[in-house]
Amino acid sequence: MASNDVDLLRKGLTSEYFLASFLEKDPSGYRLAQVVQNKTGRPDTSKTYDVLERLTESRYLVEKNEKFYPNLENLVDTIDSNPLQKWQEPLDHDERETFVKILQNREFFKIVSDEILNQIYSQPNRVHSIDALETIANKIGLLTSAIVLYRTFAPHIVTESDDPAQKDLKQINQNQDDFETAWMEQVIPMLKEFAFDRKLASGAKKTQKEMMKTYNLQKKNAKNSEKDSVQKPPNMVMFSDAITIFLKSLPSLRLFLAVPEDMLWKLCRLWEGYDSFEYTLKIIRGFVNPNK
């Protein structure tokens, strides 16, 4: 791979198509064109397959059965060997392997996927300045910072990393392989058999509808001076979506909770806001644990 091939992930249509492949599940070239162009109908594919060929030849994408998947090993190596922030720290071999495993299940990225896609869609016509490498690394750092906050302020939660025997990343990676196998062979089929996603979404919509009926009735019958005090019900559809994302993200979240804290801090350092986050967290920790 030529040294300047990293530019394929940092600008132009190749960067946008790679970003779309990272966010989509089992995407075809046609689907990627739809995502990049923000279309539900027929997209313009005149440049699509030339772009995908350049990405596959540079080993950033892997084609399987006419689907295009990000080469996660190559992505992690590229992030590690091309520091995007001045405070970024290199990963060792086992940390890179763990990083790849975290990214194998990317459901948790749905939390920020709309924001990422809107960056593409808000560009002026014919402008392609999205930096996929920086965008992905930055969001990983941001999401990891949330995990660090969770581990900091939920000390009663026992994680695998609390056990000295589990601090070996090689063992953690092996355990993750076993968990992933059980997850894919047992849990996922069970969720599909019970149509969990569909039933949860359907139940949330029905519940939301009934709650809104009650809310509208209460507001209608309330005096004008009391209308603003009628509490609007929570968005149950959004809540059901969050549950689905959480369950599908569980393999990656489990790994986030298992890895040693020093690796988490390395991933945090991928975030452009890391310096402010570190400073703020130190102040908060000082208040929470003044003797440390």
Side-chain angles (χ1 to χ4, degrees):
M1 184 172 62
S3 60
N4 63 348
D5 277 356
V6 69
D7 287 344
L8 295 176
L9 300 189
R10 307 211 64 183
K11 59 185 178 182
L13 273 174
T14 51
S15 177
E16 294 177 15
Y17 271 83
F18 180 83
L19 194 52
S21 76
F22 185 85
L23 298 174
E24 285 288 302
K25 185 176 182 180
D26 302 325
S28 63
Y30 186 90
R31 174 57 187 156
L32 290 175
Q34 286 182 313
V35 173
V36 169
Q37 296 169 35
N38 195 19
K39 288 186 175 181
T40 55
R42 185 175 181 178
D44 178 4
T45 59
S46 59
K47 298 180 180 179
T48 297
Y49 293 98
D50 175 61
V51 167
L52 295 176
E53 183 178 1
R54 293 171 65 192
L55 287 168
T56 52
E57 286 181 350
S58 297
R59 298 189 300 108
Y60 286 124
L61 290 183
V62 177
E63 181 182 2
K64 294 181 182 178
N65 300 321
E66 299 183 345
K67 307 289 185 180
F68 294 88
Y69 304 91
N71 183 337
L72 297 177
E73 291 83 1
N74 200 3
L75 172 62
V76 168
D77 287 344
T78 303
I79 291 175
D80 193 40
S81 59
N82 293 270
L84 301 167
Q85 310 295 342
K86 61 183 180 181
W87 46 70
Q88 188 170 329
E89 293 183 358
L91 302 168
D92 63 32
H93 177 269
D94 292 328
E95 289 170 337
R96 288 195 298 273
E97 183 180 346
T98 303
F99 194 0
V100 170
K101 291 182 184 298
I102 287 174
L103 296 181
Q104 285 173 345
N105 182 302
R106 295 186 298 283
E107 286 292 328
F108 64 93
F109 242 79
K110 286 187 177 180
I111 299 170
V112 293
S113 62
D114 287 346
E115 177 188 345
I116 292 172
L117 291 174
N118 285 335
Q119 291 177 10
I120 297 177
Y121 304 149
S122 63
Q123 296 178 108
N125 189 34
R126 299 183 184 279
V127 172
H128 304 284
S129 60
I130 297 298
D131 186 331
L133 192 67
E134 184 175 55
T135 298
I136 292 171
N138 190 46
K139 296 305 181 186
I140 289 168
L142 172 60
L143 293 170
T144 307
S145 297
I147 298 295
V148 168
L149 279 175
Y150 174 78
R151 284 175 53 159
T152 297
F153 298 108
H156 58 285
I157 300 296
V158 178
T159 68
E160 292 184 43
S161 61
D162 294 325
D163 180 355
Q166 295 291 341
K167 291 185 180 295
D168 181 3
L169 274 179
K170 289 182 178 177
Q171 184 61 50
I172 290 174
N173 288 334
Q174 180 59 55
N175 291 345
Q176 184 69 10
D177 288 338
D178 295 339
F179 181 85
E180 287 273 7
T181 299
W183 184 262
M184 295 305 297
E185 294 181 356
Q186 299 176 32
V187 178
I188 295 300
M190 182 185 68
L191 294 177
K192 289 182 178 179
E193 180 181 354
F194 287 98
F196 175 82
D197 289 10
R198 189 172 69 250
K199 290 180 179 178
L200 180 63
S202 176
K205 289 179 181 178
K206 290 179 180 178
T207 302
Q208 187 73 33
K209 187 176 180 180
E210 293 302 317
M211 292 171 68
M212 287 302 297
K213 281 184 181 179
T214 302
Y215 166 74
N216 291 330
L217 184 61
Q218 289 177 341
K219 195 155 188 176
K220 180 180 179 181
N221 294 332
K223 297 178 181 178
N224 288 335
S225 59
E226 299 174 347
K227 287 186 182 295
D228 291 340
S229 64
V230 178
Q231 188 172 2
K232 191 172 183 178
N235 189 327
M236 297 305 295
V237 174
M238 186 180 296
F239 181 67
S240 72
D241 289 344
I243 293 175
T244 301
I245 290 174
F246 172 78
L247 287 175
K248 291 184 177 180
S249 302
L250 200 54
S252 289
L253 293 174
R254 174 186 181 274
L255 196 51
F256 267 126
L257 294 173
V259 299
E261 188 169 311
D262 58 348
M263 180 184 170
L264 282 185
W265 279 107
K266 286 185 179 182
L267 295 182
C268 285
R269 287 175 174 271
L270 298 176
W271 182 26
E272 62 186 3
Y274 166 79
D275 57 340
S276 298
F277 170 74
E278 181 187 35
Y279 177 74
T280 303
L281 188 58
K282 284 181 178 179
I283 293 176
I284 295 174
R285 280 177 165 173
F287 282 112
V288 174
N289 301 300
N291 296 324
K292 291 188 178 182

